Amino acid sequence: MVSFNKNKIISHPIKKIYNLVADVKKYPDFLPWCTNVEIKELTKKFIITEVKVGFQNINETYVCKVLLYPKERITLEYISGPFEYLEIDWKFKKVSKNKTDVRFFCNFKFESIFLRLCTSFFLEDAVEKMVDAFEKKLNN
């Protein structure tokens, strides 16, 4: 099981940060290990996606429902794939016009013992790098 929390004040408006996290189709452009995102269904309240990830010689696909709470929160409901469970939650709180308090939570466990063993040495670092990739994208 990998559980990760990160809380950070980011010097960008809440709308810009929220829009970046909500734009799941662009994740392969800047997120390490995310190789493709296919939108299966899109509404104003949620997005159903099929996400392909790859690291080392492991390639997996999972399906999830991304729930959208404009400028407040984005949370993920796991539907299917290689995980026993997967939880991702982004919370956004306006600090000032150009500062946002971002809270990120991720918790998951692979079903396969093989995947758990193969990824156990670097997965927490990988999640940290993933979160940092969002901030780097904001600054580009």
Side-chain angles (χ1 to χ4, degrees):
M1 171 180 83
V2 174
S3 189
F4 182 82
N5 274 296
K6 187 164 187 170
N7 183 30
K8 188 169 186 180
I9 304 293
I10 298 179
S11 296
H12 288 281
I14 194 168
K15 183 178 180 181
K16 185 175 181 180
I17 297 170
Y18 175 88
N19 287 343
L20 176 65
V21 176
D23 193 359
V24 296
K25 188 70 177 154
K26 291 189 180 171
Y27 283 11
D29 295 344
F30 66 94
L31 275 183
W33 307 287
C34 182
T35 59
N36 190 50
V37 175
E38 185 178 330
I39 306 296
K40 298 292 188 180
E41 186 175 348
L42 175 65
T43 74
K44 289 184 179 186
K45 294 185 177 187
F46 67 86
I47 307 165
I48 296 183
T49 64
E50 181 179 89
V51 180
K52 293 183 181 182
V53 292
F55 42 91
Q56 295 182 354
N57 291 326
I58 301 168
N59 293 293
E60 292 290 340
T61 301
Y62 67 91
V63 178
C64 63
K65 184 176 190 178
V66 180
L67 301 169
L68 305 169
Y69 306 91
K71 293 189 247 174
E72 291 179 21
R73 185 177 192 184
I74 296 174
T75 190
L76 179 144
E77 286 183 2
Y78 178 65
I79 296 173
S80 66
F83 300 98
E84 187 172 310
Y85 57 84
L86 170 64
E87 303 170 281
I88 295 178
D89 191 34
W90 292 87
K91 292 181 183 173
F92 312 97
K93 186 176 180 184
K94 182 178 178 176
V95 174
S96 67
K97 182 180 177 183
N98 289 311
K99 287 191 179 190
T100 304
D101 181 8
V102 178
R103 295 175 185 266
F104 175 78
F105 170 75
C106 178
N107 187 31
F108 63 91
K109 181 178 181 183
F110 285 111
E111 280 185 334
S112 159
I113 292 172
F114 172 74
L115 282 176
R116 281 186 240 157
L117 291 172
C118 288
T119 60
S120 64
F121 298 107
F122 66 89
L123 218 41
E124 287 187 46
D125 185 51
V127 174
E128 174 92 31
K129 286 180 182 175
M130 182 191 80
V131 174
D132 291 343
F134 280 94
E135 189 171 8
K136 286 178 188 170
K137 181 69 174 172
L138 285 166
N139 292 323
N140 286 342

